[in-house]
């Protein structure tokens, strides 16, 4: 299968590395202009620079379209790819509104087009180990889900980026960008859904850049929540926490024990009980069989990281695109779920009260367990 990438920034490079690891040809790239596409093609190793996005999507050389452009363009480009019958890997947010996310999920389902959204933290071996232990009942019923996703790339008000703009990035930044990752991975490992939440969105710096421009999107989100499994939870999201580079951390506290993960130390699992605490390393004999071992590429002491998780995500996504019975690949439905959570966080912050998360869990046309393979 051959891939085409829309966009030429950091995430396009991550996608291209994962595709090369799979042995998939990056047949082309399109960007905001022909000149930027040429530069992107050289940077990510694409075979061809397409003059326009439309030409990339229409090309017979491209069977899978990867949408890695600014957030405000995701819905448009993904819809065009679906209409062309191409498999689609779309960066999150799938869309900047619930309505657009719902339209995309329904369109892909009705067309039988296979899709994927890179909620890649699901693909760490330690995360799969936590899921296996929770599902086995090792820690009993989960009572408390808590943690944070902290970054510092915007801790200096002189720093700015297109993501800061509500026009290009959407009305929510910190939560839509990284908070949804935390929610996805915690819902994935527990099998529970957040049903109610109370959130506050805070903008730490009202202006940014050397030539200050006003900022409308949030830097910080604090959130309390409840789940359909009667668990309580709390989450802190920040892009202005000095020293925290990409710290997605969560703890699952159950009736009989606790489990914790920190993405800045992704090869260790913390397991706690009233009698002892243990640190378990990726690849050790204490890890589960099956999915955990499948995703464990190296012996203990040889660290795996974010790019490895991303590679595993794309390997499973492409397996599903080809009609294999691959489970747990996040799809447009998961992108819709993230949009619903973002909408609830925004409404809660505006109303300064608890709100229900929409119960919409499935698009109008049911999606089969194995989507149609790409022809």
């Amino acid at each position: 299968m051959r891939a085409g990438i829309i966009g030429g920034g950091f995430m396009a490079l991550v996608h291209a590395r994962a595709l090369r690891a799979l042995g998939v040809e990056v047949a082309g790239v399109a960007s905001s202009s022909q000149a930027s596409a040429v530069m992107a093609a050289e940077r990510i190793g694409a075979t061809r620079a397409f003059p326009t996005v439309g030409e990339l999507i229409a090309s017979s050389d491209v069977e899978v379209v990867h949408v890695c452009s600014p957030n405000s363009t995701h819905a448009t480009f993904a819809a065009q790819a679906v209409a062309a019958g191409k498999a689609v890997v779309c960066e999150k947010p799938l869309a900047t509104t619930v309505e657009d996310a719902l339209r995309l999920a329904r369109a892909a389902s009705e067309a039988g087009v296979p899709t994927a959204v890179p909620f890649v933290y699901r693909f760490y071996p330690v995360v799969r180990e936590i899921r296996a232990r929770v599902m086995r009942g090792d820690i009993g019923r989960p009572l408390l889900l808590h943690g944070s996703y902290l970054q510092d790339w915007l801790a200096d008000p002189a720093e700015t980026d297109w993501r800061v703009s509500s026009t290009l990035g959407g009305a929510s930044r910190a939560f839509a960008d990284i908070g949804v990752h935390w929610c996805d991975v915690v819902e994935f490992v527990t099998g529970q859904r957040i049903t109610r939440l109370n959130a506050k969105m805070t903008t730490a710096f009202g202006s940014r850049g050397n030539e200050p421009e006003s900022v409308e999107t949030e830097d910080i989100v604090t959130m309390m929540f409840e789940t359909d499994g009667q668990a309580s939870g709390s989450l802190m999201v920040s892009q202005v926490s000095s020293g925290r580079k990409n710290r997605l951390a969560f703890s699952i506290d159950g009736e009989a024990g606790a489990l914790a993960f920190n993405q800045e130390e992704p090869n260790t699992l913390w397991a706690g009980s009233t009698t002892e605490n243990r640190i378990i390393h990726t690849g050790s004999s204490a890890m589960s069989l099956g999915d955990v071992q499948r995703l464990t590429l190296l012996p203990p002491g040889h660290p795996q990281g974010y790019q490895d998780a991303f590679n595993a995500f794309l390997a499973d996504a492409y397996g599903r695109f080809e009609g294999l019975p691959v489970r747990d690949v996040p799809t447009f439905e998961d992108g819709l779920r993230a949009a619903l959570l973002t909408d609830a966080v925004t409404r809660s912050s505006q109303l300064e009260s608890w709100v229900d998360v929409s119960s919409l869990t499935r698009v109008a046309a049911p999606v089969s367990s194995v989507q149609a393979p790409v022809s």
Side-chain angles (χ1 to χ4, degrees), residues 113-350:
V113 170
T115 64
V117 176
F119 287 113
V120 298
Y121 297 100
R122 298 183 183 191
F123 291 85
Y124 277 110
V126 168
V127 168
R128 292 296 173 102
E129 179 67 20
I130 291 174
R131 185 172 190 255
R133 292 179 180 225
V134 171
M135 296 304 168
R136 282 199 308 258
D138 290 9
I139 64 170
R141 180 170 61 91
L143 303 174
L144 180 62
L145 319 177
H146 57 102
S148 59
Y149 198 155
L150 308 176
Q151 298 176 332
D152 72 353
W153 67 286
L154 288 173
D156 182 352
E159 294 293 333
T160 190
D161 183 83
W162 63 260
R163 292 172 178 83
V164 172
S165 165
S166 59
T167 301
L168 294 176
S172 169
R173 172 172 32 96
F175 188 82
D177 189 24
I178 60 177
V180 294
H181 272 300
W182 192 95
C183 294
D184 177 81
V185 75
V186 168
E187 291 189 337
F188 177 70
V189 299
T190 62
Q192 298 187 15
R193 291 272 182 145
I194 296 169
T195 54
R196 297 181 69 238
L197 59 83
N198 191 333
K200 181 179 180 181
M201 307 169 85
T202 303
T203 302
F205 302 109
S207 61
R208 286 189 173 278
N210 294 323
E211 298 180 4
E213 297 181 2
S214 61
V215 175
E216 298 175 347
T217 54
E218 82 279 4
D219 296 304
I220 298 166
V221 176
T222 54
M223 183 175 105
M224 297 183 293
F225 61 87
E226 298 172 351
T227 75
D228 57 4
Q230 286 71 58
S232 299
S234 65
L235 168 64
M236 176 71 75
V237 178
S238 170
Q239 293 180 321
V240 292
S241 294
S242 295
R244 303 298 192 182
K245 301 306 177 186
N246 201 51
R247 190 181 187 275
L248 184 156
F250 66 83
S251 294
I252 313 297
D253 299 349
E255 296 169 315
L259 301 165
F261 170 78
N262 173 8
Q263 202 266 159
E264 289 189 345
E265 298 176 1
N267 298 284
T268 57
L269 163 64
W270 181 90
S273 72
T274 55
T275 57
E276 67 172 357
N277 296 337
R278 299 177 64 197
I279 299 295
I280 303 167
H281 296 278
T282 299
S284 74
S285 59
M287 288 289 197
S288 303
L289 301 177
D291 233 16
V292 177
Q293 289 200 350
R294 179 179 70 87
L295 294 173
T296 302
L297 307 177
L298 302 168
H302 296 77
Q304 292 179 221
Y306 175 80
Q307 186 68 57
D308 295 299
F310 204 101
N311 293 2
F313 153 72
L314 269 194
D316 278 8
Y318 270 66
R320 196 176 188 208
F321 294 170
E322 292 172 346
L324 300 178
V326 181
R327 298 176 302 162
D328 302 323
V329 175
T331 68
F332 277 13
E333 285 199 22
D334 298 285
L336 171 59
R337 172 67 181 166
L340 293 169
L341 285 165
T342 303
D343 175 70
V345 166
T346 303
R347 286 189 289 114
S348 175
S349 185
Q350 292 170 344

